[in-house]
Amino acid sequence: MNEETNKKAKKFFEIVTTMPKTIILLGLMFIGLATTFVPQLYKDTTADAFIAKDNPALIYKNKVKDIFGLADPMVMAVVNEDGIFNPKTLQLIYDLNSQIENLPNVDIDRVTSLATESNIYGDEEGMIVENFFDPYPPKTQRESDKIKKAIDNFPLYQGSLVSRDGTVTLIVAELIDETQAEQTYKNFMEIATNANLMAGEEIHVAGEGAITGYLGAYIDADAQRLNPMAGIIITLILFVAYRTLRGTILPNVIVVATVASAVGLMAAFGIAFFVVTNALIVILIGIAVADSIHIFSQYYEEYAKHPESDAREIIIRAMGEMWRPITLTTLTTVAGFLGLYLASEMPPFRYLGLFSAIGVVVAWVYSLTLLPAALTLLKVKPSKAYKVSPEGVTEVDGFGRLMGRLGKKVIANSKLVVFVGLSLMVLGAYGATKVQVNDDRIDTFYEQEPIHIADKIINGKMDGTNNLDIVIETSNPEDLFEPKYLRKIESLQEYMESLPTVGGSTSVVDFVKQMYKSLNGSDSAYYIIPDSKELIAQLFLLYSASGKPTDFEEEIDYDYQLANIRVNIDTGLYSENKKVIDTVQLYIDQNFNEKGVIKATLSGRVNLNYNWVGNIGESHFLSVGIALGLVLIMSALVFRSSVAGVFSLIPVMAALLIIYAVMGLSDIWLGIGTSMFASVAIGLGVDFAIHTIDRIKHLFAERSSESFDETIAELFPSTGRALFFNFLAIGLGFGVLMFSDVVPLFRFGAIVLLAISASFIASMTLLPALIKVTRPSFVKNISTQQTENKT
């Protein structure tokens, strides 16, 4: 920065310190205004939150939902290892079904269980349609055995409604409003808890609707534990760093301003609070104090040097030294978060990046205004961390001396440090090639959680809780009475059911075959599609005489032109579902679709997850590229050196490559919790490099009489100490996420902590060592002059 800019900055701080009470009042008023919007904030824990509203896959899924009424269900499993077909367990199913139907957010017409479904069979009079419970559950074992026999003769319900071994049955309920899933899940669990079970019976709750509801409760529980924990840790770090009340309290005021502004603006603009947004407040707590740490370090250092100066002089002098590096680190941190915002297609990640960037800017504004204004009003008191010796030399505490000893080791072994650092980066580049994009929404929860246990049991016994829908479209009404089209659907189902993770499928074809079988004395030989279009139409007419008009609405429309196949898959793992979708799509393209005649289109939850998880890798590396590019440009412009810009990226590049190595070589997926770490790590980790380079340039400009090694060594006791506490604040702040009950947030916190640690260590070792070994252009001229002076 030129002299004119420094003069303007000094004038700005003179104005700020002239009217401190006004500045403080305005700052507090803004906090109050932002806070008023916070109660408007709402949660969105649905899987649809991860995909843009205009995404074609989501648009089509919603269209399918409107046609067939299909929604993400909540599933209750009743387990009896001795078999469910006994009067007591069947009565339990009936009672549970009744209670679920009466829940306020459950669509009573969309509850499926043994208590609601109908049997289709035949006798001498023809087709008979009657409820399995007619209308009440059986009272005797003989009647229970009759229901078991009916299920055994109805292939459609084997694996989808009742497990093939007869030990598990499901009650499947679709929700009216998925945003109210949290309360509905609590209601389901209350019903399960209060149920009167006999020995051997168990109740489990799972399904996509349950995951959404469970996550809602997790967000609240996490926020109540993690945010105060992060605040306490940051406060303790500040106290240890400065051992003064002002050095502890004032940065926390900036934390409040930062969090209130970001969260308040989210609420004001109607942006939902997503699962990953739970990390936002922890991120902002760590970021908000970073500038304060450097300002207070300079503030106490200036007082130690000039104890005769008044508070205003000291703070103006300190801000004159620090406004430049904290402004630059603000720009580079914002660049990192904007990389996440610009590259990601997933709203939760985009908004995490955007509002983190906004929080960084607010923290910068308050650090340059409210903090110096408040310090101006306070009588200057020394910090035990900074003292001046009788010879007039500023002395630091044990932390500063520890960093000083580190600096001497780095300088003395600079070539070894560079070799080790570059070797680790090469290993990281290799590890990056092993990183895989993968995710499974149930892995949001730990394996010991009830919902994870329920998912494992249901997917192990039943066809699967993960649904892939295939919509069949024909050209004309009643085309789906045509045997040739039904046989195409049948062949598609048979092909899908031959795939490893596909447990089963349901379509109108299954009902047609069951109805045809019933007309032929329930002879299994007639469990086929009839050859006559007229006969198929007649089957539906006969069924309507005793069945409910809504019985087939999830399988076929009223014009018999559109149909849906619901495929049950026993895993939510992206890598496995990708194989299914890619394989089925190829089959559809080659063997099913006939232009202008009949067409199949993939939809449903599995297809939607396939679309957004598949974009994680592309958006991740794009966000990394954007973030690194923006940081490079900003650093080069401010330092007036493209070489300095490149050097500022070295620590974060080293950190990223180390993380990729850990992920690739440890089979850690690039998924929800891990994919957003890189932009965050770049935005935060580059701060260490920026402060390091800025301080080295400043030292070389000031100390032309000292040797190259002595000049670099001056970096460590003061700036190194401040960066150490900066690292502790951000690193331990993110470390709090490792106590999250949400697995992706645990992974995110752990990986960012590792990345921040690597960035700090690289900035304090590899970066100074590289500068000594290579003597880059941004210090070369000064170092040459120093060498000549020594000579």
Side-chain angles (χ1 to χ4, degrees):
M1 296 288 179
N2 57 36
E3 189 63 29
E4 182 64 27
T5 304
N6 288 329
K7 287 181 180 179
K8 289 180 180 179
K10 183 179 179 183
K11 183 66 176 176
F12 172 79
F13 293 114
E14 287 175 350
I15 295 172
V16 168
T17 54
T18 301
M19 41 192 290
K21 292 182 180 178
T22 303
I23 297 292
I24 293 171
L25 180 61
L26 290 173
L28 295 177
M29 287 175 62
F30 181 78
I31 294 173
L33 177 63
T35 304
T36 60
F37 292 103
V38 174
Q40 300 177 22
L41 198 64
Y42 69 97
K43 294 176 292 187
D44 186 352
T45 57
T46 64
D48 288 354
F50 285 93
I51 194 163
K53 300 299 182 186
D54 59 351
N55 186 287
L58 181 59
I59 293 172
Y60 194 79
K61 174 183 174 290
N62 290 332
K63 176 184 174 181
V64 172
K65 180 179 178 181
D66 291 338
I67 296 171
F68 298 105
L70 297 168
D72 292 327
M74 202 165 288
V75 179
M76 180 176 285
V78 178
V79 181
N80 187 331
E81 289 301 331
D82 295 325
I84 64 163
F85 293 105
N86 63 81
K88 179 71 170 60
T89 302
L90 294 176
Q91 179 67 49
L92 172 66
I93 294 165
Y94 178 84
D95 293 340
L96 293 173
N97 185 89
S98 299
Q99 294 177 66
I100 289 171
E101 286 182 335
N102 289 324
L103 293 178
N105 191 38
V106 169
D107 186 344
I108 191 171
D109 294 323
R110 296 283 181 171
V111 178
T112 302
S113 74
L114 281 171
T116 66
E117 295 309 283
S118 300
N119 185 24
I120 304 174
Y121 66 99
D123 60 13
E124 62 276 1
E125 295 182 3
M127 183 191 302
I128 296 176
V129 180
E130 63 181 18
N131 291 342
F132 289 112
F133 291 3
D134 189 23
Y136 301 107
K139 300 296 183 183
T140 66
Q141 186 58 49
R142 183 178 179 181
E143 292 174 335
S144 300
D145 291 339
K146 182 180 177 183
I147 295 177
K148 180 180 184 303
K149 183 179 179 181
I151 293 294
D152 290 341
N153 289 320
F154 204 149
L156 175 66
Y157 290 126
Q158 296 169 23
S160 60
L161 185 63
V162 179
S163 63
R164 290 176 174 82
D165 65 0
T167 61
V168 180
T169 188
L170 304 181
I171 303 173
V172 182
E174 294 184 10
L175 309 186
I176 297 171
D177 183 358
E178 292 177 13
T179 64
Q180 302 300 316
E182 180 181 349
Q183 183 57 50
T184 307
Y185 176 76
K186 291 177 181 177
N187 293 339
F188 263 65
M189 293 304 294
E190 184 178 356
I191 290 172
T193 302
N194 294 333
N196 182 22
L197 305 180
M198 67 178 184
E201 289 181 339
E202 297 176 0
I203 297 177
H204 300 279
V205 179
E208 186 62 41
I211 292 175
T212 299
Y214 208 45
L215 277 175
Y218 263 43
I219 284 180
D220 292 338
D222 258 13
Q224 291 169 8
R225 289 187 306 106
L226 301 185
N227 296 337
M229 192 185 301
I232 291 170
I233 288 174
I234 295 296
T235 301
L236 290 174
I237 291 171
L238 291 168
F239 180 76
V240 172
Y242 304 113
R243 283 157 261 175
T244 63
L245 199 58
R246 70 190 65 185
T248 304
I249 293 177
L250 290 179
N252 274 302
V253 176
I254 298 176
V255 168
V256 173
T258 304
V259 173
S261 300
V263 177
L265 285 172
M266 283 184 67
F269 285 98
I271 306 300
F273 199 84
F274 305 103
V275 175
V276 298
T277 316
N278 232 23
L280 175 66
I281 295 176
V282 173
I283 290 172
L284 294 179
I285 290 174
I287 290 173
V289 300
D291 292 345
S292 299
I293 287 174
H294 291 284
I295 290 172
F296 269 104
S297 294
Q298 191 67 35
Y299 171 77
Y300 286 119
E301 191 172 332
E302 291 293 338
Y303 177 73
K305 292 178 181 177
H306 309 283
E308 74 286 350
S309 300
D310 63 18
R312 185 165 178 262
E313 290 178 70
I314 290 173
I315 192 59
I316 290 174
R317 193 177 290 118
M319 296 305 298
E321 291 289 331
M322 294 311 303
W323 76 269
R324 168 182 157 145
I326 67 174
T327 298
L328 178 53
T329 54
T330 295
L331 291 174
T332 52
T333 302
V334 167
F337 285 118
L338 286 181
L340 185 62
Y341 172 72
L342 294 172
S344 180
E345 296 181 5
M346 290 174 277
F349 290 3
R350 286 176 56 83
Y351 291 126
L352 180 69
L354 176 62
F355 288 99
S356 294
I358 290 172
V360 171
V361 173
V362 171
W364 173 75
V365 171
Y366 272 76
S367 297
L368 295 185
T369 55
L370 187 140
L371 183 57
L375 288 174
T376 302
L377 295 177
L378 299 173
K379 182 180 178 180
V380 184
K381 291 183 179 180
S383 167
K384 293 179 181 180
Y386 296 86
K387 297 178 182 178
V388 177
S389 68
E391 294 78 21
V393 179
T394 303
E395 296 179 345
V396 292
D397 61 359
F399 294 105
R401 292 192 293 274
L402 179 65
M403 293 304 297
R405 287 196 290 271
L406 172 65
K408 291 177 182 178
K409 293 286 187 182
V410 169
I411 294 167
N413 301 278
S414 55
K415 291 183 179 179
L416 177 62
V417 170
V418 171
F419 174 77
V420 172
L422 295 181
S423 297
L424 288 174
M425 291 178 72
V426 171
L427 176 64
Y430 169 74
T433 64
K434 304 292 184 181
V435 175
Q436 295 182 344
V437 175
N438 212 350
D439 215 295
D440 188 346
R441 199 155 137 84
I442 195 62
D443 284 340
T444 301
F445 312 101
Y446 293 100
E447 291 185 358
Q448 66 270 25
E449 292 290 340
I451 195 166
H452 203 295
I453 295 170
D455 183 83
K456 184 177 180 180
I457 289 173
I458 296 173
N459 280 302
K461 289 281 191 176
M462 309 294 291
D463 285 349
T465 60
N466 302 278
N467 299 320
L468 173 66
D469 291 321
I470 304 179
V471 180
I472 311 299
E473 300 175 69
T474 59
S475 302
N476 305 297
E478 299 188 358
D479 269 355
L480 289 175
F481 288 153
E482 289 283 357
K484 62 180 179 180
Y485 294 146
L486 295 180
R487 290 195 177 99
K488 284 179 76 76
I489 295 173
E490 181 183 41
S491 296
L492 176 56
Q493 286 183 256
E494 289 174 352
Y495 177 76
M496 287 186 298
E497 290 174 7
S498 71
L499 301 177
T501 58
V502 175
S505 63
T506 303
S507 78
V508 67
V509 168
D510 299 292
F511 286 102
V512 169
K513 292 193 292 186
Q514 184 70 18
M515 288 189 289
Y516 188 47
K517 178 177 129 179
S518 72
L519 281 184
N520 291 276
S522 296
D523 185 347
S524 297
Y526 288 90
Y527 190 70
I528 57 174
I529 297 169
D531 292 327
S532 167
K533 177 180 179 179
E534 290 71 22
L535 177 54
I536 292 172
Q538 186 71 18
L539 291 176
F540 282 99
L541 181 62
L542 289 172
Y543 184 93
S544 65
S546 51
K548 292 180 289 186
T550 59
D551 278 351
F552 302 129
E553 64 182 3
E554 292 188 359
E555 287 78 27
I556 197 165
D557 72 338
Y558 290 114
D559 291 329
Y560 300 95
Q561 186 173 357
L562 303 175
N564 185 67
I565 306 171
R566 171 146 283 193
V567 184
N568 300 109
I569 300 175
D570 63 13
T571 178
L573 195 62
Y574 166 77
S575 58
E576 294 298 324
N577 289 340
K578 183 179 186 300
K579 296 175 186 175
V580 172
I581 288 177
D582 290 345
T583 303
V584 171
Q585 186 62 62
L586 182 63
Y587 177 92
I588 287 171
D589 293 339
Q590 294 181 348
N591 302 290
F592 191 92
N593 287 351
E594 297 179 31
K595 190 174 182 179
V597 178
I598 189 169
K599 183 177 84 169
T601 305
L602 299 180
S603 184
R605 172 58 50 203
V606 169
N607 181 64
L608 205 62
N609 291 349
Y610 164 84
N611 275 271
W612 69 261
V613 175
N615 290 330
I616 283 179
E618 181 181 341
S619 63
H620 170 82
F621 290 108
L622 180 59
S623 70
V624 170
I626 292 175
L628 290 175
L630 290 174
V631 168
L632 175 61
I633 292 170
M634 291 180 181
S635 302
L637 288 175
V638 175
F639 286 133
R640 296 185 176 183
S641 167
S642 58
V643 176
V646 171
F647 267 65
S648 69
L649 293 182
I650 291 173
V652 292
M653 286 292 293
L656 290 179
L657 291 173
I658 289 171
I659 297 301
Y660 288 139
V662 171
M663 292 177 64
L665 300 176
S666 303
D667 292 325
I668 298 173
W669 302 329
L670 193 66
I672 295 176
T674 53
S675 65
M676 59 184 177
F677 88 89
S679 294
V680 176
I682 292 169
L684 298 177
V686 75
D687 288 8
F688 304 120
I690 296 297
H691 279 287
T692 298
I693 293 173
D694 186 75
R695 185 62 174 171
I696 287 176
K697 283 174 61 67
H698 185 76
L699 289 170
F700 274 111
E702 272 190 344
R703 302 170 188 253
S704 58
S705 61
E706 296 180 358
S707 71
F708 198 97
D709 287 5
E710 289 173 335
T711 303
I712 294 181
E714 288 295 321
L715 161 78
F716 291 87
S718 55
T719 301
R721 181 187 186 278
L723 289 175
F724 174 71
F725 281 101
N726 189 359
F727 155 66
L728 287 180
I730 296 175
L732 294 182
F734 273 95
V736 166
L737 291 174
M738 294 174 67
F739 294 95
S740 172
D741 286 331
V742 180
V743 176
L745 289 182
F746 167 85
R747 292 172 180 161
F748 175 63
I751 289 179
V752 172
L753 172 58
L754 181 56
I756 294 298
S757 302
S759 293
F760 168 70
I761 293 170
S763 296
M764 291 287 95
T765 56
L766 179 59
L767 186 56
L770 268 175
I771 289 174
K772 180 189 173 181
V773 170
T774 63
R775 306 211 175 190
S777 58
F778 58 89
V779 296
K780 187 175 182 180
N781 294 335
I782 302 173
S783 64
T784 301
Q785 181 184 351
Q786 290 175 348
T787 303
E788 291 173 354
N789 290 339
K790 286 290 181 182
T791 303

